[in-house]
Amino acid sequence: LSADAQLAVALMSLERFPLSENECFDFLSAHETFRSAALAAGAIRELRDWGVVERLMSGALVTHDAFIVMAAALFETLDGAVNVAAKRKLAAVVEKSVGPGQISRLMVYCRLLPQIGRVEVLADIASSLSEHIHEQGRSADLEMVLEDVLVSSEVAPLDKFMVADTLALWEFHQPEKTGF
């Protein structure tokens, strides 16, 4: 793969759900290399030619599962500022597009929020959408994210309190209340 294609797939390793072509180009623009849609399109075309990125029937783009681990390893080699910028950009793209029935997008968004310093939004989502998240069977995933926030040294005490309050509320609604 060319350097541009490697960079594109490294960035795309953050997304664990399909993005429309426009969303993908918007997301890739987080890196200065892809401020030009033509350069982003060329990298995506190369990744599609190699089967690393697939175009779904809906036209959305997704990284093939077989390449996610390699792409994530490439992402970890990027500069810290690039990592944070990419996470912020993906969160912004998802925030604009998440809607009913898009639990995968919502879960990626929730995992990104503490990494970009927006724990208060995570606590609000976990609290206000808790019934929906439980109905979708994804509460254990979100609970792990919330518990990671509680042990993080980078999270403000008030934000930790809000997360702990949400977890306590969830446990209160359990029949056994063993963790309450």
Side-chain angles (χ1 to χ4, degrees):
L1 296 175
S2 68
D4 285 356
Q6 288 182 40
L7 177 59
V9 76
L11 294 171
M12 291 176 72
S13 73
L14 287 177
E15 62 185 69
R16 301 298 165 111
F17 54 87
L19 287 177
S20 72
E21 192 171 273
N22 288 338
E23 288 174 327
C24 188
F25 292 161
D26 185 22
F27 166 57
L28 290 176
S29 74
H31 195 280
E32 61 191 20
T33 300
F34 300 118
R35 297 283 157 79
S36 159
L39 288 175
I44 295 298
R45 190 170 29 262
E46 181 180 346
L47 292 169
R48 285 188 59 222
D49 288 347
W50 283 99
V52 176
V53 168
E54 299 175 311
R55 182 179 300 279
L56 303 178
M57 296 275 295
S58 65
L61 301 169
V62 65
T63 304
H64 191 287
D65 290 344
F67 298 100
I68 288 291
V69 173
M70 180 261 326
L74 284 173
F75 183 78
E76 292 304 318
T77 66
L78 299 176
D79 180 67
V82 172
N83 287 5
V84 172
K87 289 174 183 178
R88 284 193 176 125
K89 187 65 168 186
L90 182 58
V93 168
V94 173
E95 188 172 45
K96 285 189 266 184
S97 66
V98 73
Q102 296 180 322
I103 196 74
S104 294
R105 283 179 181 246
L106 179 63
M107 295 311 295
V108 167
Y109 183 59
C110 287
R111 280 193 290 277
L112 287 171
L113 289 170
Q115 297 173 33
I116 62 172
R118 296 186 61 202
V119 175
E120 71 285 349
V121 175
L122 173 64
D124 186 45
I125 289 171
S127 177
S128 62
L129 295 178
S130 64
E131 185 176 337
H132 176 69
I133 293 166
H134 284 292
E135 287 172 358
Q136 296 293 320
R138 301 298 296 266
S139 59
D141 296 341
L142 188 53
E143 191 172 339
M144 288 189 321
V145 172
L146 295 172
E147 288 173 354
D148 286 346
V149 166
L150 289 179
V151 298
S152 173
S153 61
E154 299 173 9
V155 176
L158 181 58
D159 291 334
K160 283 186 179 185
F161 172 80
M162 297 306 292
V163 167
D165 183 57
T166 298
L167 287 170
L169 177 67
W170 285 10
E171 185 60 31
F172 180 75
H173 290 292
Q174 296 300 314
E176 300 297 316
K177 295 181 181 43
T178 56
F180 188 69

